[in-house]
Amino acid sequence: MYRLSNTVIGFLNLFTLLASIPIIGAGLWMARSSTTCESFLQTPLLILGFIILIVSLAGFIGACFHVAWALWVYLVIMLLLIGTLLALTVFGFVVTSRGGGSVVAGRVYSEFHLDNYSSWLRKRIKDPHYWMTVKSCILGSKACAKVVLWTPSDYLSKDLSPVQSGCCKPPTSCNYASTMVDQESDCYRWNNDPNILCYKCDSCKAGVLEDVRRNWHKISVLNIVMLLVLIGIYCIGCCAFQNAKRAESDYPYGENRKYKSRPRWDYHWRRWMYDRRHQLY
């Protein structure tokens, strides 16, 4: 039982060590977005993945030396990590539940409006310092380099990413032929300068949020799978911890410690039954 429990402990930590890799990969996959450089959702995911990696590695090493208390510490930390990952997943769902594009008549692409997104995301993206960082990333990605060269027929037949739709062109409803008609505020923020375009527009901010929303929804499936895996491994770890404590004391399962000052409640009764049986036979 001792060897079995330590084998289970070793595999338990090995599995959680491997399970942390997809979590880190998901965070890196979001961080690799050179278009928006959004980090308010993937940064916690990366931190969580690295913590699971380090804790699992420590637990795996502790299991090799048959240290039962190390597994106890490991299980406590794993419980906190499972709770944190669950909270992060639910929070991501809540803040990205709203959004989506509006269909534009006669166009393949959609347009996005800032008011359609959650107040937390709007407050985050409207922060001037934060938006300057995102804007620099969009400029560095050259997302608008090809769009500014499009002809009017290209706008009718080609699709645009959310960032391109919001940042690289004015809203489709804008009518620059008439100056007497009230138009969206973004129509007045548009400029043909490649360094300005519609980067000050609310539609650009909405396009960034839509990009974040789509990325988060893709990795949310992975988050749920990882949660189920970690919960299953945690349950196995609890059983392995009980076996490790029992094996560490060299006390076989199902027997009483007769040398204890306070034997188990059924010890005397079982002892009396054993003596009576021998007297009868």
Side-chain angles (χ1 to χ4, degrees), residues 16-276:
T16 51
L17 182 68
L18 296 176
S20 67
I21 297 176
I23 298 176
I24 296 173
L28 291 174
W29 179 77
M30 289 189 70
R32 67 100 173 94
S33 175
S34 59
T35 303
T36 61
C37 297
E38 288 298 320
S39 59
F40 53 80
L41 288 179
Q42 67 263 27
T43 299
L45 197 64
L46 275 173
I47 295 173
L48 190 64
F50 278 112
I51 291 176
I52 294 176
L53 178 67
I54 295 172
V55 171
S56 300
L57 183 61
F60 184 76
I61 294 174
C64 293
F65 291 96
H66 315 302
V67 182
W69 65 265
L71 179 61
W72 181 85
V73 173
Y74 165 79
L75 290 175
V76 171
I77 297 176
M78 277 299 298
L79 182 61
L80 296 176
L81 290 176
I82 289 173
T84 303
L85 182 59
L86 177 62
L88 179 63
T89 302
V90 172
F91 175 76
F93 269 119
V94 171
V95 299
T96 60
S97 59
R98 297 177 55 191
S102 303
V103 177
V104 181
R107 303 290 194 274
V108 179
Y109 57 83
S110 299
E111 291 187 340
F112 306 91
H113 304 280
L114 194 59
D115 292 337
N116 292 340
Y117 296 88
S118 67
S119 58
W120 188 88
L121 287 176
R122 292 201 306 269
K123 182 179 179 180
R124 177 77 176 181
I125 205 70
K126 284 182 177 180
D127 180 73
H129 177 73
Y130 191 80
W131 178 246
M132 285 299 297
T133 302
V134 175
K135 178 183 173 181
S136 300
C137 288
I138 298 174
L139 287 170
S141 69
K142 299 181 180 180
C144 299
K146 294 182 179 180
V147 179
V148 295
L149 301 177
W150 280 12
T151 62
S153 61
D154 290 329
Y155 284 95
L156 297 174
S157 59
K158 294 183 179 181
D159 197 6
L160 292 169
S161 69
V163 172
Q164 290 174 328
S165 176
C167 303
C168 305
K169 65 172 189 60
T172 306
S173 62
C174 295
N175 184 1
Y176 293 105
S178 174
T179 58
M180 303 299 294
V181 180
D182 290 335
Q183 305 186 70
E184 295 183 37
S185 57
D186 284 347
C187 297
Y188 303 105
R189 294 169 180 152
W190 164 261
N191 193 300
N192 288 323
D193 188 335
N195 293 320
I196 300 178
L197 297 180
C198 213
Y199 295 130
K200 296 180 180 180
C201 301
D202 287 343
S203 62
C204 186
K205 296 180 176 68
V208 171
L209 294 183
E210 179 63 21
D211 192 58
V212 173
R213 176 177 174 270
R214 292 181 180 182
N215 286 341
W216 182 258
H217 283 184
K218 289 177 182 178
I219 71 167
S220 62
V221 177
L222 177 63
N223 282 354
I224 294 173
V225 172
M226 288 300 102
L227 269 173
L228 295 176
V229 171
L230 290 176
I231 290 173
I233 293 175
Y234 180 81
C235 293
I236 297 172
C238 291
C239 297
F241 174 63
Q242 294 297 326
N243 291 336
K245 288 199 303 181
R246 191 175 296 116
E248 194 176 60
S249 63
D250 294 324
Y251 179 56
Y253 180 78
E255 297 183 9
N256 289 312
R257 294 177 186 256
K258 298 181 180 179
Y259 58 85
K260 275 189 171 183
S261 58
R262 283 189 172 182
R264 207 168 67 176
W265 65 271
D266 62 339
Y267 167 70
H268 296 289
W269 179 80
R270 289 168 62 91
R271 185 66 181 176
W272 180 82
M273 289 293 295
Y274 177 80
D275 293 338
R276 292 291 297 173

